[in-house]
Amino acid sequence: MMNLNSSVMIAESEKMANWVPKVVPWSNWSEFTSMYKALYGPNPELGISRMAIWRLRGNVPQSIEATVQLVSLANCTGETGRLALAMTTIRCVNGVVDKLQKGKHAVNIEHLAVEAKLPHWLVEIRHQATHNALPSLQVLRAARCELLKYLDCTYWQAQLKALKRDRLR
């Protein structure tokens, strides 16, 4: 790792043959880890407020944006809460599958979701919210919890594991 300044870090991987530096919004891996602990811990407001700084720095990964949006909707209620949860669910599912869209022609979202190991019912919730009536607040809250688990397993834990592996070298 190499600091460019206090607000930007270049992440590197020695394993990649065609390594290209990537600018990230955290100033060091400790800040990244503390963001994870804040968002998935008892005081997520700290992570939500820290996200404002990361957004100013730019280049926030979609998985982190999605996590913060989901965490910030923990106590939403009523029709506005339902709309916010529906939109966030749509954006999260789209964010997961969009990364897998390659080639000239778009691939069906359901096929991409299988490849991403995204639970099928989340794709159905996305479809309902996009093309039909909004799902109930209860269903959207369940989708929120499932998406947080999914992002924890597929993004956060993978990043923390890679960080730990790199530190052991």
Side-chain angles (χ1 to χ4, degrees), residues 64-105:
I64 296 176
E65 281 280 5
T67 302
V68 171
Q69 289 171 1
L70 291 163
V71 167
S72 69
L73 294 172
N75 299 314
C76 66
T77 58
E79 194 61 19
T80 303
R82 197 168 148 220
L83 288 166
L85 281 168
M87 180 58 70
T88 301
T89 300
I90 292 166
R91 290 186 60 166
C92 287
V93 171
N94 286 348
V96 168
V97 298
D98 282 350
K99 291 183 229 175
L100 302 173
Q101 284 285 7
K102 296 175 177 103
K104 225 177 192 181
H105 304 287

Side-chain angles (χ1 to χ4, degrees), residues 50-136:
R50 184 178 294 139
M51 184 60 161
I53 296 166
W54 283 19
R55 284 183 181 123
L56 290 172
R57 293 175 182 170
N59 298 314
V60 178
Q62 187 275 335
S63 295
I64 296 176
E65 281 280 5
T67 302
V68 171
Q69 289 171 1
L70 291 163
V71 167
S72 69
L73 294 172
N75 299 314
C76 66
T77 58
E79 194 61 19
T80 303
R82 197 168 148 220
L83 288 166
L85 281 168
M87 180 58 70
T88 301
T89 300
I90 292 166
R91 290 186 60 166
C92 287
V93 171
N94 286 348
V96 168
V97 298
D98 282 350
K99 291 183 229 175
L100 302 173
Q101 284 285 7
K102 296 175 177 103
K104 225 177 192 181
H105 304 287
V107 178
N108 183 299
I109 289 176
E110 290 180 4
H111 296 303
L112 296 172
V114 168
E115 185 180 336
K117 297 183 173 116
L118 187 66
H120 178 73
W121 71 274
L122 291 173
V123 177
E124 286 299 317
I125 297 299
R126 177 223 167 262
H127 183 80
Q128 283 290 328
T130 303
H131 302 291
N132 300 314
L134 286 181
S136 70

Side-chain angles (χ1 to χ4, degrees), residues 1-3 6 8-11 24-39 46-47 50 54 57 64 156 159-160 162-164 167:
M1 278 181 264
M2 182 172 72
N3 267 331
S6 63
V8 179
M9 169 175 274
I10 298 211
V24 295
W26 47 91
S27 57
N28 56 50
W29 285 113
S30 177
E31 186 180 349
F32 177 87
T33 303
S34 67
M35 173 64 101
Y36 169 75
K37 288 177 181 176
L39 291 172
L46 180 63
R50 184 178 294 139
W54 283 19
R57 293 175 182 170
I64 296 176
W156 292 99
Q159 293 295 319
L160 293 169
L163 173 60
K164 188 179 242 183
R167 285 183 175 169

Side-chain angles (χ1 to χ4, degrees), residues 125-166:
I125 297 299
R126 177 223 167 262
H127 183 80
Q128 283 290 328
T130 303
H131 302 291
N132 300 314
L134 286 181
S136 70
L137 188 57
Q138 182 179 2
V139 168
L140 290 164
R141 284 182 178 152
R144 176 194 164 274
C145 290
E146 189 66 27
L147 284 164
L148 281 169
K149 287 182 210 169
Y150 177 84
L151 291 167
D152 185 29
C153 291
T154 61
Y155 178 76
W156 292 99
Q157 292 305 317
Q159 293 295 319
L160 293 169
K161 185 178 177 181
L163 173 60
K164 188 179 242 183
R165 185 178 56 242
D166 287 347

Side-chain angles (χ1 to χ4, degrees), residues 16-29:
M16 296 173 61
N18 296 324
W19 177 74
V20 176
K22 183 175 182 181
V23 177
V24 295
W26 47 91
S27 57
N28 56 50
W29 285 113

